[in-house]
Amino acid sequence: MKEFWKFAKDCKLASKSLPLAAIDVIFVRSNWKSSEGSGDIHNPERELIPGEFSESLLRISSAKYDGSARTLSQKLQTLIDMNILKFAGRADPNKWRRDFARPEIDSVFKEYYDDLWKVFYCYSDGPCRSKSAKRHTGTMVVEEFMNLCKDAKLLEGSFSSVKIYSIFANVQQDEGVSEAEIGAADSEMIFPEFLEGLAVRGCRLLE
């Protein structure tokens, strides 16, 4: 159960409509046995097997967005996009950075470094900047990153613009960047973060 609580905390699942006590109840209700006292080793008590975990997500999404006109599947999709994909990977933000620093990945970036810098430089001087913003500051705002993804046809299938926003948030070196700050004037991506964002999107293409 402690792993489930860590998951719930990392993904910021608790809210006014879904207090911590309600999440505890959802865990208990999702953790059922195939038959009372069966002792099934594939369905241990106080642990969630994959089917029960999926059920808990459905219950959480239903409770979290209670009163919404959205269907249950839409509520689940919102939960996955806005909470799970956005926050689950940030429990250890340096782990995936270490993974992307592996020699085989680093060699790819080195091979295309100059070309990627030109792309970054081009899009970071786009029309998304405010009139008062300085030109060529070496940073990219979220709208510019989104424009690049659209032009490169990285928005395809089930990979929505919400997930691009999520990538932009997750690669921020500043752990203080909040959801509300994404898209604000001071929320900008530097070139190393841009490379990390491309690596994240590339990995998603292979999933």
Side-chain angles (χ1 to χ4, degrees), residues 145-187:
F145 186 58
M146 183 68 69
N147 287 341
L148 183 153
C149 291
K150 290 178 180 177
D151 291 346
K153 303 187 185 305
L154 296 180
L155 291 172
E156 57 182 20
S158 61
F159 206 92
S160 65
S161 59
V162 173
K163 294 179 182 178
I164 296 297
Y165 275 91
S166 177
I167 289 176
F168 186 91
N170 287 332
V171 300
Q172 295 294 298
Q173 301 277 1
D174 180 5
E175 290 302 308
V177 176
S178 67
E179 178 182 346
E181 292 172 328
I182 298 302
D186 59 348
S187 180

Side-chain angles (χ1 to χ4, degrees), residues 43-57:
N43 190 16
E45 186 178 6
R46 303 300 287 174
E47 294 182 13
L48 297 180
I49 59 177
E52 294 171 342
F53 178 69
S54 298
E55 178 185 337
S56 72
L57 295 184

Side-chain angles (χ1 to χ4, degrees), residues 33-144:
K33 289 186 176 181
S34 56
S35 60
E36 186 175 356
S38 66
D40 185 355
I41 61 173
H42 299 296
N43 190 16
E45 186 178 6
R46 303 300 287 174
E47 294 182 13
L48 297 180
I49 59 177
E52 294 171 342
F53 178 69
S54 298
E55 178 185 337
S56 72
L57 295 184
L58 281 171
R59 289 178 179 270
I60 287 172
S61 63
S62 178
K64 188 174 182 68
Y65 303 108
D66 185 36
S68 169
R70 284 171 285 193
T71 64
L72 182 57
S73 62
Q74 290 172 333
K75 292 177 181 179
L76 177 61
Q77 186 65 54
T78 300
L79 182 76
I80 292 173
D81 286 341
M82 301 306 297
N83 291 88
I84 298 175
L85 290 180
K86 178 173 291 188
F87 298 116
R90 304 193 73 182
D92 181 5
N94 292 319
K95 180 180 182 300
W96 57 270
R97 286 193 173 114
R98 291 193 297 269
D99 290 339
F100 291 149
R102 290 179 299 178
E104 60 270 29
I105 295 179
D106 186 56
S107 64
V108 175
F109 282 133
K110 285 182 178 179
E111 180 179 356
Y112 295 99
Y113 186 92
D114 290 341
D115 290 331
L116 290 173
W117 170 250
K118 290 176 183 177
V119 171
F120 178 82
Y121 186 86
C122 177
Y123 277 86
S124 63
D125 189 31
C128 298
R129 298 295 179 117
S130 64
K131 294 181 179 179
S132 60
K134 294 181 179 179
R135 311 299 273 178
H136 299 305
T137 59
T139 61
M140 176 179 288
V141 297
V142 66
E143 290 85 357
E144 293 164 347

